[in-house]
Amino acid sequence: ENATKNIGVFCSSGMSLYSDKTMNSYYRVNVESNSVLMETLDPIQAKILTLAEYLPTQLSYKLNLTGPSLSVNTACSSSLVSIHLAVQSLLKGECEAALAGASAIHAPHIAGYLYNQGSIFSDDGVCRPFDAKANGIVGGNGVGAVVLKTLANAEKDKDMIYAIINATSINNDGSNKVSYTAPSIDGQKNNIINVLKKSKIDVN
């Protein structure tokens, strides 16, 4: 009861696909389409309980967390951007700890995909981020989150420390790339250089 509640929440909920052919949401497929169920529900409350943008504040409400609570949506980078924002909030003293994570649930779960040349998906079903052999993405299905604190607070609280984040950096390529879904080589290179400088890691 005496533990701090000044904990931030930074998270994302990806597209929840309920058919391999449609982009319908859980609310549209399982709630709004059920006329009997809708007669017993307040539509606004039903949307609050099921739409992705309410996920972080719902979590903060359920767990009585009073730190910043933000929904993050930057497509494939949402989970890492959530961690970046959480780190910045910790450094600014906006919260004493932060939950950062993301979720993407696809039901029914249909494994595999048909590869089309030039698409964003990997031709061999393997994702190799920041690798010379990288050739596309692979969709994820699940939930993941981390608890973040400043190193001083984690050591003071005698927490199990699994990793230390020296620095984070975020950028956007604008139109300096071959297409909207393609990464920019210069953008990635400059962002990596920037975060290495901020972390004061000597790479020479």
Side-chain angles (χ1 to χ4, degrees):
E1 290 297 325
N2 293 326
T4 178
K5 296 291 186 179
N6 186 23
I7 299 173
V9 178
F10 303 82
C11 63
S12 166
S13 177
M15 288 188 298
S16 296
L17 307 184
Y18 287 83
S19 165
D20 59 334
K21 296 181 180 179
T22 69
M23 301 289 278
N24 287 324
S25 68
Y26 179 91
Y27 174 79
R28 184 175 296 278
V29 173
N30 295 289
V31 181
E32 190 176 53
S33 63
N34 188 329
S35 59
V36 176
L37 178 62
M38 286 303 292
E39 290 179 0
T40 68
L41 293 174
D42 177 341
I44 294 178
Q45 291 299 316
K47 288 183 178 180
I48 288 174
L49 290 170
T50 57
L51 296 182
E53 53 264 41
Y54 297 109
L55 175 62
T57 47
Q58 282 279 352
L59 183 59
S60 295
Y61 173 72
K62 294 289 186 181
L63 299 179
N64 190 27
L65 308 179
T66 59
S69 192
L70 302 179
S71 177
V72 181
N73 188 349
T74 58
C76 298
S77 62
S78 296
S79 56
L80 286 178
V81 172
S82 295
I83 290 174
H84 170 78
L85 294 174
V87 167
Q88 298 304 308
S89 185
L90 286 166
L91 293 175
K92 293 177 182 177
E94 296 174 340
C95 56
E96 296 178 38
L99 300 176
S103 65
I105 305 298
H106 306 282
H109 181 61
I110 301 173
Y113 53 84
L114 292 176
Y115 170 72
N116 293 312
Q117 187 173 3
S119 75
I120 64 173
F121 293 102
S122 168
D123 63 2
D124 61 0
V126 179
C127 185
R128 304 178 179 86
F130 301 104
D131 189 283
K133 297 180 181 179
N135 62 357
I137 70 167
V138 177
N141 194 50
V143 179
V146 292
V147 178
L148 302 175
K149 289 183 178 181
T150 62
L151 181 58
N153 282 344
E155 291 177 333
K156 181 183 70 175
D157 296 336
K158 298 181 180 179
D159 293 325
M160 177 68 74
I161 299 173
Y162 292 94
I164 297 174
I165 299 174
N166 285 329
T168 65
S169 181
I170 187 172
N171 76 328
N172 188 283
D173 299 324
S175 61
N176 183 30
K177 49 189 177 181
V178 296
S179 70
Y180 174 67
T181 58
S184 162
I185 295 175
D186 288 339
Q188 289 193 350
K189 179 187 72 176
N190 292 335
N191 203 33
I192 291 171
I193 291 172
N194 183 44
V195 77
L196 288 173
K197 287 181 178 177
K198 289 169 66 176
S199 66
K200 299 180 180 179
I201 295 175
D202 185 2
V203 294
N204 296 321

